Amino acid sequence: MALINLNLINNTTTTINSSNFHTGDTVALGLVSSATLIVDGVNADVTSFAGVSGLSNTTFNVINGATLTVEAQLAAVGAGSTFHYIIGAGSTLNLNSALIGIDVLQTTTVDFAGSTGSGHFVYTPPGIGLSLLSPTPTIINASAGDRVTVNGATSVSQSGNIVTFHGGLLGLGTLATYVIPAGATYTFNNTDDTLTFITPCFVRGTMIATPEGEVPVEKLKVGDLVISLVKEVAEITWVGKRTIDPKTLDKPRNDLPIRFCAGAISENVPHRDLLVSPDHCIFIGGVLIPAKLLINDTTVTQKFSQAPIDYFHIELEKHDVLWAEGAMAESYLDLGNKNAFLEPGVLQFVSPRIREAKACYPIAYVGPAVDKARDMIAERERAIGDKTAEAIAS
């Protein structure tokens, strides 16, 4: 382990990676009025700041599975300074607010724009009494799969699009309050204090397996039976619908459907093209994997269209896996926000009732399970290409 003295240069970008940084090293960071630090694929711990007593506008870009931990005293940095943390795919940002000045927290932004739904923000709040007085960083661009952990939290509550993490004595203290992206849905796990953004749904016309054969998702109703993995046959307890108009979306990639062409996952799976929302999990190799993490731009694609899209949510007695176009995909996971689906085209938070929701199988965003699924799809991509070539030749 070594202490690395890293002095940023004004209006430039500095990168630390495996070529100049080793696991266990810590950083004493010299700030300037404006600079960018990229943490690329390494675990870096910033333990002190120096160099600026006035304004500092600093951007931290955490990418390629890196972890950045900031536990340095920032009280000396001038009021009005801004800190912009951008979390990349599979990367983690840890902020210890007990050591960060209130003025700086007020102008700190945590940005999930580059995370592709696999970013993680871990926040350590000050003591319960101080939490009520201390601002929390602003969270922007979160999408399904991104996670926010508030250490010590035991529950969350919601009002509008403001989510409050509670903890402390009897779980009644306020640890952190965040404005989350409009339209986001999520689960909260009080075992690891983590909120995870999700939005799973099927596109109109998707054929769902039932004991009586396949039925279009929009034709299913409460009380109908479907074939499921956990229960074998499960009853539908709720059906939700929302309509997306791509022309009104600021970030279409977060909402437009992912298309799995026939045979993209395995032989005849799906048996015809399957369209699901980007965050809808597909069951492959014993885990649930968000569809958007499997895009290869050939057999698994996301195409931009201006036509409205009808999404349908099917909830069973418990979270389960069902068959959609012959592929295994998750059912809806109840997060206490069903009122958001009362009017087509409107997705908003209208109820503070949030409950812990448990997935029926592990959800994977990075790691060997995702790599294996991508390899499987790549193998099928080659097989489909070979068959196409043979058909053209004959």
Side-chain angles (χ1 to χ4, degrees), residues 165-374:
F165 289 77
H166 302 283
L169 183 63
L170 302 178
L172 300 177
T174 296
L175 299 181
T177 300
Y178 294 108
V179 177
I180 64 174
T185 54
Y186 57 86
T187 63
F188 177 74
N189 186 332
N190 61 13
T191 301
D192 58 11
D193 314 333
T194 298
L195 178 152
T196 302
F197 294 94
I198 67 169
T199 312
C201 35
F202 297 103
V203 170
R204 175 185 290 275
T206 301
M207 302 298 286
I208 305 297
T210 78
E212 306 302 321
E214 291 189 321
V215 176
V217 65
E218 66 271 20
K219 299 293 186 182
L220 293 171
K221 60 185 182 301
V222 172
D224 288 349
L225 300 178
V226 298
I227 297 173
S228 73
L229 183 61
V230 176
K231 287 203 65 177
E232 297 185 358
V233 175
E235 181 178 337
I236 295 175
T237 58
W238 176 78
V239 176
K241 175 192 172 185
R242 63 185 178 119
T243 300
I244 297 294
D245 183 355
K247 296 189 292 294
T248 67
L249 300 176
D250 291 331
K251 297 182 179 180
R253 191 174 297 278
N254 291 342
D255 292 283
L256 294 182
I258 307 298
R259 179 187 296 271
F260 290 79
C261 79
I265 299 172
S266 61
E267 184 70 31
N268 203 37
V269 177
H271 49 234
R272 72 170 193 162
D273 288 4
L274 168 67
L275 286 90
V276 297
S277 62
D279 314 309
H280 202 123
C281 287
I282 306 299
F283 186 71
I284 302 177
V287 299
L288 294 164
I289 302 173
K292 65 185 178 184
L293 301 184
L294 301 174
I295 293 173
N296 61 6
D297 293 326
T298 53
T299 58
V300 184
T301 59
Q302 184 182 45
K303 293 186 178 179
F304 292 86
S305 168
Q306 292 191 338
I309 301 150
D310 288 335
Y311 276 131
F312 291 82
H313 306 256
I314 301 299
E315 182 187 19
L316 307 180
E317 300 158 76
K318 292 184 177 180
H319 190 236
D320 208 328
V321 172
L322 44 75
W323 274 261
E325 306 293 3
M328 290 189 284
E330 68 171 328
S331 65
Y332 176 78
L333 191 61
D334 183 7
L335 308 171
N337 68 332
K338 290 177 182 174
N339 287 337
F341 300 94
L342 289 176
E343 298 180 26
V346 177
L347 180 59
Q348 60 185 356
F349 295 107
V350 295
S351 169
R353 183 180 65 85
I354 297 297
R355 71 188 190 190
E356 180 183 354
K358 295 182 179 179
C360 57
Y361 287 93
I363 300 176
Y365 302 101
V366 294
V370 176
D371 294 340
K372 186 175 181 180
R374 288 171 175 163

Side-chain angles (χ1 to χ4, degrees), residues 88-143:
S91 300
T92 299
L93 169 67
N94 296 293
L95 288 185
N96 185 347
S97 71
L99 298 172
I100 299 175
I102 290 177
D103 289 338
V104 173
L105 281 173
Q106 202 162 13
T107 56
T108 293
T109 300
V110 176
D111 188 347
F112 284 98
S115 70
T116 64
S118 59
H120 191 189
F121 171 43
V122 181
Y123 181 71
T124 301
I128 295 294
L130 295 176
S131 296
L132 298 174
L133 303 174
S134 300
T136 50
T138 300
I139 295 174
I140 62 174
N141 296 321
S143 60

